[in-house]
Amino acid sequence: MPPHSFAPAEPSGLADSPTSEPLLAGLNPEQRAAVTLPAGHALILAGAGSGKTRVLTTRIAWLLQNGYATPGGILAVTFTNKAAREMLTRLSAMLPVNVRGMWIGTFHGLCNRMLRAHHKAAGLPQTFQILDTQDQLSAIKRLCKQHQIDEERYPPKQLQQFIAHCKEEGMRPRDVPQHDSVARKKVEVYQLYEDQCQREGVVDFGELLLRSYELLRDHDPIRAHYQRRFAYILVDEFQDTNRLQYAWLKQLAGDVVEGRLQTQGSVMAVGDDDQSIYAFRGARVGNMQDFVREFDVRQQIKLEENYRSYSNILDSANALIRHNSRRLGKELRTQQGPGEPVRVYEAASDLAEAQWLVDEIRQLVKDGMSRREIAALYRSNAQSRVIESALFNAGVPYRVYGGLRFFERAEVKHALAYLRLLENPHDDTSFLRVVNFPPRGIGARSIEQLQDAARSAGCSLHDAVAAVAGRAGTHLGAFVALVDVLREQTQGLNLRAIIERMLEASGLIEHYRSEKEGADRIENLEELVNAAESFVMQEGFGRDAVALPLDEQRAALRQSPASQGLNPEAPRLDLPLPAVDAAARPGAGAADVDLETGETLSPLAAFLTHAALEAGDNQAQAGQDAVQLMTVHASKGLEFDAVFLSGMEEGLFPHENALSSQDSLEEERRLMYVAITRARRRLYLSHAQTRLLHGQTRYNLRSRFFDELPEHALKWLTPRHPGLASFARTSGAAYAGASSATGQFGLKSESPANAPLPAQKTPPAHGLRVGTAVFHTKFGEGKVLALEGQGEDARAQVQFPRHGTKWLALAVAKLTVVE
DNA sequence: GGCTGTCGCATTTTT
DNA sequence: TGCGACAGCC
């Protein structure tokens, strides 16, 4: 039970509130109820296309506007950067709020932020680097070689999955059951891997979450602080949370006392059990039921009104998903008419299917539909090939989602590895990646020797070079010198200059210049410089501070009776963390700040974090008006005027691997449900009698899912042949008389006007200049090397004789000028 | 060190 | 069938 509550917000009463009305305008009663819920935990079951994001963002805006929460008191968590960005964008369009002081982001992003702030308590260096999936795999391979793990019996890929899975379940090596010798071996590797990561100061994606969870669990003052701070926690796509993410949320929400969860803030979980399609990567729909039980949820609201599709499409979705058991129960409805029927097409072959699809698309485009509003969806990536070549041959522009993303490209990763070595010379993964790239005559032998030396000395490869250089020649020494010198030379330079310098000095540019395929790669490296530049702009490094026209507003917020009354019983902060309050202030904390010392990440380190946490779009011909090709999974959350779902065949969709169990079959059905609900106006379902798969012709039956769709909503473009269920059921008329009413096509999508905050120039208030001598309570006397940002985001690079060069947030760090 | 041939494998994926 | 990983050769 939340210890605090404010006057219960009766939706009807609030409708009269003059301040809230503009926010709430246009919301339906359920949406409005969700937005204006009183304090307490709530589960919002948000059907596809029911305005979920709008409710989430309006809720936050409403809490802020009415003084129920300060920006610093809100935590909103999503799965993807895209979703987090959208929330921020919409929110700032609704309210002139300084969005940067709010904790809105992905699970990984927020955990990262927390770990940087409390890196010492978490047992990490502040500049810990983040391993992506590739890095993690190569780290595991390296480890296997070093410890003579039989890679036949224990494939590195499997070990990687095992480790990731353990972390998702919140298990450290000692927590993993070891039934047999195989399990014991795996756990041993897990332990070795952990030791290696710790030694190198790197952290994988799962570790971000697990470490953050443990930080909260094991440090009472830190946990208490965040529990007090976050009065309102909002979770997007709750059905996709895994065990660890749920446990993390529980730590933030409250403590278990005598078997019961005692919470301080309010958690609003928004999700849709019918759209749970990520069980294979650890998502647990059961978290929804657990949430209701453990949080004693009193408020459950269903958003069932769909603003996206015509009713034939929704009827199909509803009828299909009704075949699933154990649903929380929800039915989509619309005020739109039936619209067009769902068209079903049977092709002789996958080739013919693709050809038909292209013809239909051309017709749609001819009728005035724009290509970007047309999507071709498929269950697995292998199916895109036929469609791509058909589109290509017909000269129809298309865009395939889900390829290599920007920060995953080899050349970009090479460049990032150099940058990481500048930040942390002990990052062996990065060391190995570029020690001989571009080639500089360092062969496998010398690397092996070096690794042996490092192992026996118990140090990093970087540090081991001195020991080996004598024997292995000067190449290794030269490489280390190159990196070390570069580090020296780039001190105090801005991010752009650092990267440009690195690109030259490393020889990357030169290397690619001489390569025949190198032009694209050089372009990408140049793009990396641009990415860094725009990152710097966004994060407020070296930029005029965004004016905060809300100073008064914030003051008002803080003083409003409602927010005063928010936490009447909360004790005053008396953490052994003097600066915690500063970070809790709206406006502060855009950068990762060590809350003890005020130390912030250097622009470079912050950029590296950004690169690891946000893989970047796969920017293939973006911006062009092209047909969108993607898997059904990738389409979740998107919508299109016309959707083609091809390959609707037994074995493909549902996938053959999913036929074995009820649970996985139901997940396939939910996947189909997701696909159907992407369509606004037109939905096409197609299947082929023969299909070339793995070089072999397969004869697939029509998908069982067809038999679960309502006849009245379908239009069979080809005669309906007996399907899977034909023995159990006699099919009716071959052609269902579907209405061809076109209806009004103009379903409006919610497109928030993005009102940018007015910028304003403010003179520097801190009075520091490059060269100023300053004193820090912890690091002692130092000299200012560089200054960036302004106002609350201002930071300084300071060189301390004993502690090296540090970036400090001036709003947090206690710096005094030395005369 | 780079190229070439062979082998094995082949849902879904964000961070 | 088609691609990525890896070993072996020049």
Side-chain angles (χ1 to χ4, degrees):
Chain A
M1 202 71 18
H4 64 279
S5 62
F6 45 79
E10 282 298 320
S12 55
L14 270 154
D16 300 332
S17 153
T19 51
S20 293
E21 190 46 47
L23 268 186
L24 303 178
L27 295 182
N28 68 35
E30 291 78 29
Q31 291 176 327
R32 192 174 278 233
V35 166
T36 60
L37 276 175
H41 308 305
L43 177 66
I44 312 298
L45 269 179
S50 64
K52 175 196 69 170
T53 309
R54 183 169 179 198
V55 166
L56 222 35
T57 45
T58 314
R59 167 72 172 174
I60 297 174
W62 183 85
L63 288 168
L64 295 175
Q65 196 177 58
N66 288 287
Y68 297 130
T70 56
I74 285 178
L75 180 142
V77 62
T78 63
F79 276 87
T80 64
N81 290 303
K82 196 175 160 209
R85 257 196 313 268
E86 180 164 350
M87 236 153 122
L88 286 171
T89 316
R90 289 212 204 178
L91 192 58
S92 42
M94 275 185 219
L95 271 190
V97 65
N98 175 23
V99 125
R100 302 176 66 213
M102 305 177 73
W103 281 50
I104 295 182
T106 62
F107 278 100
H108 293 84
L110 297 182
C111 287
N112 170 64
R113 195 165 176 180
M114 200 179 278
L115 291 177
R116 303 269 181 206
H118 307 282
H119 63 94
K120 225 182 231 156
L124 290 169
Q126 193 196 14
T127 55
F128 66 81
Q129 298 293 321
I130 297 167
L131 296 185
D132 68 14
T133 318
Q134 289 175 37
D135 300 332
Q136 190 190 22
L137 185 62
S138 56
I140 291 173
K141 280 183 180 165
R142 175 156 51 90
L143 185 145
C144 286
K145 294 234 164 63
Q146 213 167 97
H147 295 270
Q148 281 100 42
I149 308 289
D150 182 358
E151 293 190 30
E152 299 274 280
R153 285 183 63 189
Y154 304 96
K157 271 242 173 63
Q158 261 181 41
L159 290 168
Q160 182 183 27
Q161 277 184 354
F162 170 77
I163 291 171
H165 177 252
C166 288
K167 292 190 179 184
E168 269 161 14
E169 294 285 312
M171 292 187 292
R172 289 296 179 191
R174 61 171 174 284
D175 306 319
V176 185
Q178 304 175 33
H179 304 300
D180 50 24
S181 62
V182 176
R184 226 168 299 132
K185 193 77 186 169
K186 283 184 175 173
V187 172
E188 192 190 318
V189 176
Y190 182 12
Q191 183 65 56
L192 289 169
Y193 170 75
E194 287 221 321
D195 297 343
Q196 177 176 291
C197 288
Q198 188 65 34
R199 210 174 328 118
E200 296 176 13
V202 296
V203 154
D204 64 39
F205 287 133
E207 187 71 21
L208 280 173
L209 284 156
L210 183 51
R211 204 52 91 97
S212 172
Y213 162 75
E214 290 171 342
L215 173 78
L216 291 168
R217 186 194 60 192
D218 301 336
H219 297 265
D220 296 346
I222 295 175
R223 184 178 66 252
H225 165 68
Y226 285 107
Q227 286 179 358
R228 265 195 309 268
R229 175 179 169 175
F230 295 125
Y232 290 92
I233 296 174
L234 301 96
V235 194
D236 191 19
E237 305 279 17
F238 190 74
Q239 77 284 348
D240 288 337
T241 51
N242 62 33
R243 229 187 202 97
L244 179 57
Q245 285 157 340
Y246 181 53
W248 182 80
L249 285 166
K250 277 202 282 189
Q251 292 291 340
L252 281 176
D255 293 340
V256 176
V257 181
E258 288 164 16
R260 287 200 46 180
L261 188 63
Q262 305 276 323
T263 54
Q264 297 195 36
S266 302
V267 178
M268 175 178 272
V270 182
D272 181 358
D273 55 329
D274 290 334
Q275 292 189 71
S276 158
I277 55 173
Y278 286 113
F280 71 90
R281 66 173 197 213
R284 254 187 106 246
V285 213
N287 284 347
M288 295 182 97
Q289 284 92 337
D290 288 358
F291 172 64
V292 171
R293 197 182 62 249
E294 296 179 332
F295 283 71
D296 190 22
V297 171
R298 304 291 173 81
Q299 301 282 357
Q300 285 198 45
I301 294 176
K302 289 181 188 177
L303 304 179
E304 297 175 293
E305 172 126 18
N306 176 291
Y307 294 95
R308 183 182 294 160
S309 318
Y310 287 92
S311 70
N312 276 333
I313 292 169
L314 294 183
D315 288 352
S316 303
N318 283 328
L320 178 87
I321 204 67
R322 240 177 264 134
H323 288 79
N324 271 5
S325 58
R326 294 188 301 267
R327 294 176 57 223
L328 294 176
K330 190 169 42 53
E331 186 109 328
L332 297 176
R333 53 167 198 273
T334 178
Q335 299 190 6
Q336 306 280 328
E340 299 181 57
V342 175
R343 292 166 166 82
V344 181
Y345 184 79
E346 176 176 29
S349 66
D350 50 349
L351 242 81
E353 184 189 36
Q355 195 49 56
W356 164 79
L357 186 143
V358 170
D359 292 342
E360 286 289 335
I361 287 177
R362 294 171 96 172
Q363 191 57 47
L364 288 176
V365 172
K366 207 166 146 196
D367 293 346
M369 197 179 280
S370 67
R371 281 184 287 265
R372 67 167 61 86
E373 283 301 339
I374 303 173
L377 309 183
Y378 33 82
R379 172 67 242 263
S380 57
N381 285 307
Q383 289 166 253
S384 75
R385 172 173 265 112
V386 221
I387 302 174
E388 279 187 70
S389 64
L391 285 167
F392 183 83
N393 291 334
V396 180
Y398 64 91
R399 178 184 173 190
V400 188
Y401 279 75
L404 252 200
R405 281 162 319 169
F406 181 70
F407 287 116
E408 291 167 356
R409 314 187 87 91
E411 63 275 20
V412 176
K413 292 217 68 167
H414 281 129
L416 291 173
Y418 277 102
L419 295 174
R420 283 161 75 143
L421 285 177
L422 295 186
E423 274 298 315
N424 172 12
H426 311 301
D427 181 344
D428 286 353
T429 302
S430 298
F431 186 101
L432 288 171
R433 179 169 200 110
V434 291
V435 65
N436 196 35
F437 194 93
R440 40 175 78 89
I442 298 173
R445 282 185 322 281
S446 13
I447 290 175
E448 253 166 59
Q449 276 176 27
L450 181 66
Q451 283 177 307
D452 287 342
R455 200 175 333 139
S456 54
C459 67
S460 64
L461 296 174
H462 173 274
D463 290 353
V465 166
V468 169
R471 276 178 286 152
T474 53
H475 290 310
L476 276 171
F479 170 70
V480 167
L482 169 82
V483 173
D484 289 346
V485 166
L486 194 58
R487 187 179 307 110
E488 279 299 308
Q489 288 177 339
T490 51
Q491 284 295 332
L493 293 187
N494 68 38
L495 188 53
R496 176 189 198 102
I498 295 175
I499 297 180
E500 283 172 343
R501 197 69 162 266
M502 176 278 297
L503 289 175
E504 283 304 327
S506 64
L508 281 175
I509 292 279
E510 201 188 322
H511 173 80
Y512 287 126
R513 221 176 264 144
S514 62
E515 208 180 50
K516 43 188 181 299
E517 310 276 308
D520 282 353
R521 296 184 185 271
I522 289 178
E523 210 168 284
N524 284 325
L525 291 176
E526 279 159 4
E527 190 54 41
L528 180 68
V529 178
N530 291 337
E533 193 86 334
S534 60
F535 172 76
V536 163
M537 298 299 280
Q538 261 168 43
E539 292 300 306
F541 290 103
R543 176 197 62 165
D544 285 342
V546 174
L548 306 173
L550 10 141
D551 276 336
E552 314 102 273
Q553 194 187 329
R554 276 193 274 129
L557 271 180
R558 257 182 257 133
Q559 278 153 29
S560 79
S563 72
Q564 290 286 316
L566 246 188
N567 244 337
E569 280 149 73
R572 282 305 308 147
L573 271 185
D574 51 358
L575 282 175
L577 302 167
V580 154
D581 249 350
R585 241 183 19 239
D592 299 303
V593 185
D594 177 330
L595 291 181
E596 268 185 72
T597 62
E599 193 179 341
T600 71
L601 291 184
S602 67
L604 174 57
F607 178 63
L608 290 173
T609 300
H610 167 80
L613 251 27
E614 183 147 10
D617 293 327
N618 54 327
Q619 20 97 298
Q621 331 106 8
Q624 212 195 6
D625 185 23
V627 176
Q628 317 277 307
L629 268 61
M630 67 191 86
T631 64
V632 179
H633 280 94
S635 76
K636 193 178 165 202
L638 306 177
E639 55 182 84
F640 307 92
D641 280 339
V643 167
F644 290 81
L645 186 53
S646 57
M648 289 300 307
E649 295 142 36
E650 282 294 304
L652 264 183
F653 202 176
H655 196 274
E656 51 195 347
N657 298 356
L659 298 177
S660 52
S661 85
Q662 175 81 1
D663 284 351
S664 55
L665 184 64
E666 293 203 350
E667 180 144 316
E668 294 290 300
R669 194 176 279 112
R670 290 192 292 270
L671 198 50
M672 171 91 184
Y673 176 81
V674 167
I676 292 175
T677 53
R678 298 310 96 198
R680 291 198 198 99
R681 290 157 42 180
R682 279 201 185 206
L683 175 62
Y684 295 83
L685 308 174
S686 64
H687 63 104
Q689 292 166 351
T690 57
R691 178 174 300 273
L692 214 56
L693 198 65
H694 308 324
Q696 281 180 339
T697 308
R698 308 212 338 185
Y699 301 85
N700 293 325
L701 287 171
R702 176 204 321 138
S703 169
R704 69 187 68 193
F705 293 147
F706 281 109
D707 301 319
E708 301 174 359
L709 300 178
E711 212 43 59
H712 76 265
L714 305 182
K715 177 178 180 180
W716 297 78
L717 301 175
T718 41
R720 178 180 184 167
H721 296 302
L724 245 200
S726 60
F727 302 109
R729 206 159 53 102
T730 324
S731 57
Y735 295 87
S739 95
S740 57
T742 321
Q744 292 288 316
F745 272 2
L747 270 189
K748 280 200 200 86
S749 62
E750 303 159 60
S751 53
N754 184 1
L757 293 172
Q760 210 177 59
K761 290 213 171 178
T762 41
H766 45 68
L768 295 181
R769 290 165 50 185
V770 174
T772 308
V774 290
F775 181 81
H776 185 277
T777 44
K778 182 141 182 234
F779 303 132
E781 218 170 282
K783 199 169 100 184
V784 176
L785 290 183
L787 289 161
E788 296 209 304
Q790 291 199 19
E792 309 213 57
D793 290 325
R795 59 213 104 188
Q797 189 185 32
V798 184
Q799 187 168 42
F800 297 100
R802 243 171 310 164
H803 299 270
T805 315
K806 310 229 173 250
W807 280 92
L808 302 168
L810 296 177
V812 181
K814 292 175 181 61
L815 282 185
T816 44
V817 177
V818 179
E819 298 305 323

